[in-house]
Amino acid sequence: MELSLGVKVLLLITCTLFSMLVAIGAGWLSHRPGARKRDGILVGGCTFGSSLTLCLLVLTSLGVL
């Protein structure tokens, strides 16, 4: 099944937004009172990268992308 370019772009945007939500949640959960803000940002950034990679790998293995 071959998807059009518009649908592929929409799936990519959906994966990016999902990964952003996961990263925001991880950064928020890792924040502790009195801790530096950059630690939460670092955790969120690493979580975003790994979540986006996982989403794209799943879609690629399903043959969607």
Side-chain angles (χ1 to χ4, degrees):
M1 171 168 95
E2 187 65 31
L3 298 175
S4 67
L5 180 63
V7 174
K8 288 181 181 182
V9 169
L10 184 63
L11 285 171
L12 183 65
I13 291 171
T14 304
C15 286
T16 304
L17 289 175
F18 175 74
S19 297
M20 287 176 115
L21 286 174
V22 171
I24 289 169
W28 183 59
L29 287 174
S30 71
H31 179 70
R32 293 190 174 94
R36 297 179 299 194
K37 290 182 183 177
R38 64 181 175 186
D39 294 336
I41 293 172
L42 182 63
V43 168
C46 291
T47 305
F48 173 77
S50 60
S51 176
L52 185 63
T53 302
L54 183 64
C55 287
L56 292 178
L57 284 174
V58 167
L59 288 178
T60 304
S61 67
L62 290 174
V64 175
L65 294 180

